[in-house]
Amino acid sequence: MAFDWFKRKTKNITTSTEDKKDVPKGLWHQTPTGKIIEHEELKANNYVSPEDGFHVRIGSNEFFSILFDDNKYTELDADVESVDMLNFKDTKSYTDRLKEVKAKTKLTDSIRNAVGKVNGTEMVVSCMDFAFIGGSLGSVMGEKIRRAVDYCIEHKLPYMIICQSGGARMQEATYSLMQLAKVQAKLAQLSEAGLLYIAYLCDPTFGGITASFAMTADIIMAEPGALIGFAGPRVIRETIGKDLPEGFQTSEFLQEKGFVDFIVKRTEIKEKVSKTVNLLVH
């Protein structure tokens, strides 16, 4: 038995396949509140929706372009890459996972170091990329931060880390956890040298990042509405057996409790960082 309702009775589409054009990806962006914004307008506003103030998650390329004057900077230690020292395998081997994420993101790991001028003041900025295995802390992140701190000490420059991470990288096990102590030791040397360290916490900042260097900066800034914590709210709720306060683990909640110094919109981060550096360094 034939079903005629599957057949097109009139030929409505006459455009040839060769002449068809796809709508460019990223032309529009929809925020969680349902606001629609054109991509170019979003980019011009430092990837913050002018409709509702929502901060779209961005990577190191975008942050460097926002912070450094005329988008001019020199990347440091770009050739440092992760390796599978434990031959770790979960749903797939760590080696294969690294190959896939490197090809997809065009990054070598979850953090990049750069030196340049922010409103005329030279400084070093390390920025995490959440797109690379959730911005996870592994041996390369720890090593890159170590090298960035050494560069700051050698050239007497202020330092900033932009944090956005789910925590430690499980595929590197104890090697990952060792980075907490390694980074803290280097930041202690930075402090002994009398150099400023600023942390800027973005959504999300969790796990070992929060348990160490994200919360030990001289000045701790955070994006509005960023989720910041060690364990997630579900785990905490089940552990203590109580409902959590409204806004729990948001940057505003942490500022109220004294863990964050300033809530800084991304549209204002360059001015706030340069003013802070000039006030505390010069």
Side-chain angles (χ1 to χ4, degrees):
M1 182 177 177
F3 293 94
D4 291 339
W5 47 272
F6 274 116
K7 298 178 181 179
R8 186 185 297 276
K9 293 183 179 180
T10 58
K11 191 176 181 181
N12 297 320
I13 301 174
T14 58
T15 310
S16 66
T17 303
E18 293 78 12
D19 292 334
K20 292 178 182 176
K21 291 181 173 64
D22 292 329
V23 176
K25 291 183 179 180
L27 185 62
W28 302 93
H29 183 87
Q30 183 174 12
T31 69
T33 59
K35 302 295 183 180
I36 304 294
I37 179 173
E38 190 177 15
H39 179 74
E40 287 304 313
E41 184 182 357
L42 189 68
K43 181 179 178 181
N45 201 45
N46 290 357
Y47 300 92
V48 177
S49 171
E51 297 287 337
D52 54 15
F54 177 74
H55 284 53
V56 176
R57 186 177 295 155
I58 58 175
S60 55
N61 273 332
E62 292 82 7
F63 266 117
F64 289 162
S65 69
I66 289 169
L67 285 169
F68 291 120
D69 299 346
D70 302 318
N71 197 21
K72 293 181 179 177
Y73 59 88
T74 301
E75 185 171 355
L76 307 172
D77 316 303
D79 58 342
V80 184
E81 299 188 31
S82 291
V83 295
D84 185 5
M85 71 280 282
L86 299 175
N87 295 317
F88 189 95
K89 185 175 182 180
D90 45 87
T91 54
K92 64 179 69 174
S93 73
Y94 185 34
T95 298
D96 290 341
R97 194 179 295 278
L98 286 171
K99 286 179 181 177
E100 289 177 10
V101 73
K102 286 176 184 178
K104 182 178 180 180
T105 63
K106 309 303 179 188
L107 300 167
T108 57
D109 208 85
S110 54
I111 196 167
R112 292 171 67 209
N113 297 337
V115 57
K117 292 185 177 180
V118 179
N119 281 340
T121 301
E122 190 172 19
M123 62 184 298
V124 175
V125 179
S126 294
C127 181
M128 298 177 193
D129 279 283
F130 193 80
F132 196 102
I133 314 182
S136 49
L137 169 64
S139 55
V140 167
M141 183 184 287
E143 177 61 17
K144 279 196 170 187
I145 294 176
R146 180 196 72 80
R147 295 188 186 194
V149 170
D150 283 343
Y151 188 96
C152 289
I153 293 173
E154 181 182 353
H155 297 88
K156 294 181 170 54
L157 297 175
Y159 185 43
M160 177 179 181
I161 299 181
I162 300 172
C163 301
Q164 44 185 346
S165 172
R169 188 174 300 174
M170 69 172 189
Q171 290 89 350
E172 295 189 17
T174 307
Y175 285 100
S176 172
L177 297 178
M178 288 168 61
Q179 306 311 309
L180 278 68
K182 177 178 179 178
V183 169
Q184 283 303 128
K186 295 307 297 184
L187 291 173
Q189 293 179 7
L190 188 75
S191 179
E192 289 167 4
L195 298 171
L196 179 66
Y197 164 41
I198 299 172
Y200 187 47
L201 314 185
C202 304
D203 183 62
T205 298
F206 269 89
I209 306 295
T210 307
S212 57
F213 54 87
M215 290 299 187
T216 59
D218 299 305
I219 300 293
I220 302 174
M221 303 179 185
E223 285 186 343
L227 287 178
I228 303 163
F230 180 67
R234 180 183 58 81
V235 174
I236 295 174
R237 188 185 301 109
E238 291 177 356
T239 301
I240 65 175
K242 295 181 180 179
D243 290 333
L244 301 173
E246 186 177 351
F248 181 72
Q249 290 188 326
T250 62
S251 51
E252 291 79 6
F253 184 87
L254 268 69
Q255 184 188 37
E256 182 183 331
K257 303 302 179 183
F259 286 94
V260 169
D261 296 309
F262 304 108
I263 305 296
V264 184
K265 296 178 182 177
R266 198 183 294 155
T267 50
E268 303 169 356
I269 187 61
K270 183 173 182 177
E271 290 297 324
K272 181 69 75 173
V273 167
S274 62
K275 286 181 179 179
T276 300
V277 171
N278 289 326
L279 180 65
L280 297 179
V281 173
H282 299 296

